[in-house]
Amino acid sequence: AQKITQTQPGMFVQEKEAVTLDCTYDTSDQSYGLFWYKQPSSGEMIFLIYQGSYDEQNATEGRYSLNFQKARKSANLVISASQLGDSAMYFCAMREGKRNRDDKIIFGKGTRLHILP
Amino acid sequence: DVKVTQSSRYLVKRTGEKVFLECVQDMDHENMFWYRQDPGLGLRLIYFSYDVKMKEKGDIPEGYSVSREKKERFSLILESASTNQTSMYLCASRTVTMAYEQYFGPGTRLTVT
């Protein structure tokens, strides 16, 4: 069964609009973490934001925020005021494990975001 | 500056060849990972290592093996390359002291003909 589900293979959004990229996850661990990465056409993986399962507040990093709803097991990425440079593939990922030392990090299939001028 | 390097950006090999993909990190990270990335499938974990000489299977280990003799180096080995192993391979490393920090290399695009 998929542990990270990103239901939107592709999205088209007008520049300056806010964007929400969906991510749901499945884990039985109490301690886990959720990430979002951006992969532009150059291929590099760029870390955007992280949310720990025990963090009470939603993580924010500049224009990025993570809408963490633990009971629903969702960790949506919100990009405010989108820019042309936000066009890229976006991956949701989860760190699962109990000890941090040997935790593994698994990824969803990604959402390709296109920002329209 | 944080650095994860991979031995090749592009590699072309023949079916049946033994292939080595090398990954080196200079951050003294404990954990290292190998993923493959295919269109529509995202990143899939092949193997990871949380210490020297330690390895754990990921979700798709079949057809691959790994080696970690030194902390900074994590090698992915295709014992007998097949065409279905044509893919982008990404290496990453992570420190256990900062749970959210995982750094990626630039990737190796492997084509098996």
Side-chain angles (χ1 to χ4, degrees):
Chain A
Q2 251 185 307
K3 293 226 171 179
I4 298 283
T5 303
Q6 295 180 252
T7 56
Q8 307 148 309
M11 284 185 74
F12 290 83
V13 173
Q14 209 66 42
E15 191 181 7
K16 297 188 177 63
E17 287 184 357
V19 182
T20 298
L21 304 180
D22 295 341
C23 174
T24 57
Y25 61 91
D26 181 28
T27 183
S28 55
D29 289 345
Q30 295 300 308
S31 175
Y32 55 90
L34 297 149
F35 305 72
W36 278 92
Y37 285 86
K38 173 184 179 181
Q39 188 181 45
S41 56
S42 58
E44 59 185 311
M45 292 287 283
I46 302 168
F47 166 75
L48 295 178
I49 199 165
Y50 173 83
Q51 178 90 38
S53 58
Y54 293 119
D55 295 340
E56 293 185 353
Q57 298 216 331
N58 286 344
T60 59
E61 289 285 348
R63 293 187 300 114
Y64 303 108
S65 60
L66 198 152
N67 184 1
F68 182 46
Q69 298 190 37
K70 199 168 181 176
R72 295 179 61 187
K73 293 191 174 177
S74 79
N76 298 341
L77 177 71
V78 180
I79 306 174
S80 63
S82 58
Q83 302 170 356
L84 295 178
D86 294 333
S87 293
M89 182 71 89
Y90 288 80
F91 291 100
C92 180
M94 177 172 66
R95 171 188 65 77
E96 60 173 2
K98 294 178 174 54
R99 296 181 294 179
N100 197 30
R101 174 176 174 260
D102 51 356
D103 295 353
K104 62 180 184 178
I105 299 175
I106 55 175
F107 285 74
K109 294 184 178 182
T111 295
R112 185 166 295 282
L113 176 64
H114 304 269
I115 305 297
L116 304 172
Chain B
D1 198 17
V2 162
K3 206 72 180 250
V4 180
T5 57
Q6 295 183 228
S7 49
S8 307
R9 288 302 303 268
Y10 300 94
L11 208 53
V12 180
K13 294 291 181 181
R14 292 191 182 275
T15 301
E17 278 192 78
K18 190 168 186 175
V19 182
F20 292 87
L21 303 183
E22 304 284 341
C23 176
V24 178
Q25 51 96 2
D26 65 359
M27 298 160 283
D28 201 35
H29 283 174
E30 296 87 357
N31 294 169
M32 296 187 74
F33 305 79
W34 275 107
Y35 297 89
R36 65 177 280 178
Q37 183 178 7
D38 300 288
L41 297 178
L43 277 72
R44 292 180 292 166
L45 182 62
I46 306 171
Y47 268 98
F48 69 106
S49 167
Y50 56 89
D51 205 345
V52 175
K53 296 192 188 295
M54 305 302 287
K55 60 186 179 185
E56 292 280 341
K57 291 180 181 179
D59 298 319
I60 52 161
E62 297 79 18
Y64 303 94
S65 62
V66 290
S67 171
R68 192 164 181 206
E69 296 297 318
K70 293 185 178 181
K71 192 175 186 180
E72 67 270 18
R73 187 180 296 268
F74 191 35
S75 302
L76 180 70
I77 302 154
L78 288 66
E79 294 288 342
S80 177
S82 63
T83 54
N84 63 13
Q85 292 179 309
T86 291
S87 186
M88 170 69 86
Y89 290 87
L90 289 164
C91 173
S93 74
R94 172 175 166 259
T95 176
V96 298
T97 57
M98 298 288 277
Y100 54 86
E101 287 193 356
Q102 185 187 36
Y103 297 93
F104 282 83
T108 296
R109 185 164 293 284
L110 172 68
T111 302
V112 182
T113 61

